[in-house]
Amino acid sequence: MNIFDMFSQDACSLGGKDSIQWTWREYYENRSKLESEGRKVVLVNMIEHPVAGSTPISNELFQEDHPDGTYFVLYCHSGGTSGYMQKKLSSMYPNFNFVNMSGGIGMYEEE
């Protein structure tokens, strides 16, 4: 599987409607809570626009040794494409949790 065949880094998708979403504020709150419970949270940059603590999306990312129950929080330009990918990846990797960053990089807030 080539993850980059599943979406365009340069275009927004309308397929992300009705996805599981967090705002940036919810991300910071949920990340702190989940990490205090021993859960792993990975912020995934899908658009080559890195923010502090983000990991670029890659073909290897979901093949790496992440514990079951890891949360992958996906962000793109607006939240449309990351929502679409959240739905696709959830069915492909049921042992992980996928969340769409509502509003994408356009709504980015520093912690």
Side-chain angles (χ1 to χ4, degrees):
M1 168 189 79
N2 184 349
I3 194 97
F4 298 103
D5 289 342
M6 297 175 70
F7 73 99
S8 169
Q9 291 180 303
D10 298 319
C12 294
S13 166
L14 299 177
K17 191 174 178 183
D18 301 322
S19 63
I20 298 168
Q21 299 183 32
W22 288 349
T23 64
W24 284 97
R25 187 170 312 259
E26 290 170 324
Y27 162 72
Y28 297 124
E29 292 169 0
N30 291 332
R31 181 190 68 191
S32 294
K33 180 179 181 254
L34 290 165
E35 288 177 344
S36 73
E37 297 170 354
R39 306 297 283 276
K40 186 172 183 180
V41 179
V42 180
L43 179 61
V44 181
N45 168 16
M46 294 179 52
I47 56 172
E48 297 181 358
H49 190 102
V51 298
S54 67
T55 300
I57 196 163
S58 68
N59 288 316
E60 297 78 25
L61 182 60
F62 308 112
Q63 307 303 319
E64 294 174 5
D65 190 25
H66 297 289
D68 285 354
T70 294
Y71 280 76
F72 290 96
V73 183
L74 312 168
Y75 74 88
C76 65
H77 296 283
S78 68
T81 301
S82 52
Y84 169 78
M85 288 300 291
Q86 177 260 321
K87 292 178 193 177
K88 292 284 189 190
L89 293 169
S90 292
S91 62
M92 294 171 69
Y93 300 101
N95 53 321
F96 297 138
N97 300 290
F98 292 90
V99 179
N100 174 23
M101 188 65 73
S102 176
I105 196 69
M107 298 299 290
Y108 175 65
E109 297 177 26
E110 291 186 40
E111 187 171 18

